[in-house]
Amino acid sequence: MDFETVADALYAGEPAGFVTARNAAAREAKAAGDAALAERIRALRKPTLAASVVNRLARAGSTALAELAELGPALRDAHAKLAGAELRALTQRRHELIRQVMRAEVPRLSEPVAREVEATLEAVAADPETAGLALAGRLTSMVTQSGGEQWLTFAAAPANIKTKRKPEKEAKKPPKEPAKTGPKPAKKVTSLEPARRRREQEKAERERREAAERAKREREERDRLRRVAQTLARERDQARRELVRAERVAEQASTRAEELRTRLADAETRAAQAGDDLDAARAAFDGAEEAARKAKEAAEN
């Protein structure tokens, strides 16, 4: 028995039977005289349902999972170089791979577990350590991205939106009047020109203010949605941490129950043996007493 073989067998099985199989392997290693191996085996953590799904993909030789792990270095490099086009292409490919896996797995999973599987697949592309555990089929719980890798969860930010001003209408030119002979028209004919220009300027200024106001509202809405997304992400991460803690408590309780069952079985065995010893002692005592009585009678006769 060696640690790698035992670990592979445990993580290849179903989570429901993990604790029982792990404790049995640990007892076997201890009975064989290898206390250190028994301790390492007992320290193995039970995988969650989401982790077991990813482990199963790795053991089935999923090409999508392998490609997700390979995308990680390229994504980090494109992000470091601010290569927008390359980053968008790689991000799109990551989404396609995750959708490919989820289309095959989701029909068999509940909605919460499906969300955890999707988050773990995103982390496979974000974190080299997670990718290594996933490819080895040794994940134990849902994995999320660290704060510095959250950029991988979202699509590339859109380019800054420039507010387009409506083109000003070309000023209508007054119709040309046929040349007239005689005295020039009075100045009051052209006195409307400044008022027209003022109206056009006021209209252009109004349109500019409206465009600026629309752009401001759009920025405020984007900021609000970003804050909401951050709040929901924090709540999601908190829920995931609480789930992991609950799973650990449940695993510890299961381990404790298994130990108590073992101790109870040992105690029952010892009690049964003590009962047998007591019966034997009573029989021996009765036999000795009978022999003493017969010896006394013989002496009196």
Side-chain angles (χ1 to χ4, degrees), residues 29-30 33-40:
K30 187 174 183 180
D34 197 338
L37 176 59
E39 189 65 25
R40 288 186 68 191

Side-chain angles (χ1 to χ4, degrees), residues 1-7 10-11 18-30 34-46 251:
M1 175 186 293
D2 65 274
F3 178 77
E4 296 299 329
T5 301
V6 172
L10 289 174
Y11 286 111
F18 182 90
V19 173
T20 301
R22 180 197 62 190
N23 292 345
R27 286 194 298 270
E28 183 179 349
K30 187 174 183 180
D34 197 338
L37 176 59
E39 189 65 25
R40 288 186 68 191
I41 293 173
R42 195 173 291 277
L44 291 172
R45 289 180 53 196
K46 174 184 175 180
E251 180 181 349

Side-chain angles (χ1 to χ4, degrees), residues 144-167:
T144 57
Q145 301 175 47
S146 64
E149 293 155 350
Q150 287 292 338
W151 57 271
L152 282 175
T153 304
F154 306 100
N160 292 332
I161 299 174
K162 295 183 179 179
T163 305
K164 295 182 179 180
R165 294 180 57 184
K166 294 181 179 180

Side-chain angles (χ1 to χ4, degrees), residues 215-281:
K216 179 181 178 182
R217 288 196 298 268
E218 290 173 358
R219 287 195 300 271
E220 291 174 348
E221 180 64 11
R222 287 198 301 272
D223 292 341
R224 185 188 70 81
L225 292 176
R226 188 179 297 111
R227 289 192 296 271
V228 170
Q230 291 172 349
T231 299
L232 292 176
R234 287 194 295 270
E235 292 176 356
R236 177 199 63 192
D237 293 341
Q238 179 63 26
R240 288 172 177 170
R241 287 192 292 270
E242 291 175 358
L243 175 62
V244 170
R245 284 196 294 269
E247 288 174 342
R248 290 176 179 172
V249 170
E251 180 181 349
Q252 292 171 357
S254 177
T255 301
R256 179 60 177 166
E258 182 71 19
E259 292 174 352
L260 291 175
R261 279 195 292 270
T262 302
R263 290 175 59 185
L264 175 62
D266 292 343
E268 290 174 345
T269 301
R270 289 195 298 271
Q273 183 62 45
D276 293 341
D277 293 344
L278 177 61
D279 291 341

